[in-house]
Amino acid sequence: MSYADRYIAEDEELLHATRQHWTEMVGEFIVLVLIWIVAGALLWVLPRDEDWGTYASYVVLGAAGVASVWFWLIPLLKWRSTLYLLTTKRVYQRSGFLTKTGRSIPLARVNDVSFRATLWERILREGTLNVQSASEQGMLTLKHVPDPEGLKNMIHRAVEEEQNRQRMGGMGGMGGQPMGGPGGMMPPPPMG
C-alpha cells in the first residue's frame, strides 16, 4: 500500500494498513442526498419570472453547496485521512487533513488487545479495537476498523514475533542467534 509506505521507518516492514470502514460515511452520504433533494424542491417552487426568485435560486444553490462541503466533504476528508498501520515494530494511528495527529505504540509495549463489535457491526464486519500499552499513554482506540478480530490476531502475532526477536537479540548473538552459534554451544578453543 503505497499511501502507507511513507509513514514507516527504514527498520520496519508494513504488515497491514487500513482505513476506517466505509460505513462510517453512509450517514454523511444520506445527508448529502437530503441536502440536494431539499435544494431541488426549493428551486422547483421558487418563481422563475420574478427577480427575487432568481436571487433566491442563487441563495438556495449557495446554501446547498456550503452545506455539502460542511456535512459531506469535510467528513469525507477526515475519513480519508484516518489511517491505521501495523508494522513489524509498532501499531500506528494517523488522522487529520489540516491538523495532523499521530500516535503509535511499540509492539514490545503492548499488554493487551481487545475488540468490540455489536451485532450490526459484526454483520458489516467492523468494530472497535483497543490496544493497551505499558506506556504512560495507556490505550490506543481504533474505531470503525474493518475486520477487528482479524486485525487483533495480526497484532498478537506481530507482538509475539517482536518479543521473540528481542528475546533472541538479548542473548548476545548476532542476527537473532545466541552466542556460540546454533544450539547455544560454544565452539571449542583453538588448538595450538
Side-chain angles (χ1 to χ4, degrees):
M1 296 193 167
S2 61
Y3 65 88
D5 290 338
R6 62 181 156 179
Y7 302 120
I8 62 173
E10 290 181 20
D11 66 335
E12 61 186 348
E13 293 178 34
L14 182 65
L15 299 176
H16 185 72
T18 189
R19 289 192 164 94
Q20 290 182 322
H21 199 269
W22 62 268
T23 55
E24 179 70 5
M25 290 302 299
V26 169
E28 284 77 3
F29 181 74
I30 291 170
V31 168
L32 177 70
V33 169
L34 289 175
I35 287 169
W36 286 101
I37 288 173
V38 169
L42 287 174
L43 290 173
W44 180 265
V45 298
L46 286 174
R48 290 186 247 286
D49 54 350
E50 297 182 29
D51 286 340
W52 71 269
T54 304
Y55 294 122
S57 297
Y58 291 135
V59 169
V60 167
L61 287 173
V66 169
S68 297
V69 167
W70 187 261
F71 292 107
W72 180 75
L73 184 60
I74 290 174
L76 176 69
L77 293 173
K78 287 180 181 177
W79 174 78
R80 275 294 282 170
S81 66
T82 300
L83 186 63
Y84 303 135
L85 303 173
L86 173 62
T87 70
T88 53
K89 300 282 184 184
R90 62 192 167 130
V91 178
Y92 184 60
Q93 174 187 19
R94 180 177 170 81
S95 61
F97 63 97
L98 292 178
T99 303
K100 297 188 186 287
T101 59
R103 180 154 177 240
S104 65
I105 295 179
L107 292 178
R109 292 201 167 254
V110 171
N111 285 347
D112 185 43
V113 182
S114 62
F115 77 95
R116 180 179 183 280
T118 64
L119 177 61
W120 182 247
E121 289 173 332
R122 287 178 53 207
I123 291 169
L124 296 173
R125 296 185 46 100
E126 71 162 307
T128 300
L129 197 69
N130 293 311
V131 182
Q132 186 178 11
S133 109
S135 68
E136 37 189 69
Q137 294 183 355
M139 181 144 356
L140 178 63
T141 301
L142 311 177
K143 296 180 179 178
H144 304 287
V145 177
D147 188 21
E149 191 169 10
L151 183 54
K152 174 185 153 278
N153 293 335
M154 278 190 246
I155 292 172
H156 276 298
R157 279 193 301 274
V159 166
E160 187 176 316
E161 289 173 12
E162 177 64 16
Q163 288 172 347
N164 288 339
R165 220 180 351 261
Q166 285 187 353
R167 214 173 298 127
M168 296 302 283
M171 292 185 186
M174 303 228 356
Q177 292 292 325
M179 284 255 254
M185 296 180 58
M186 297 297 289
M191 300 291 262

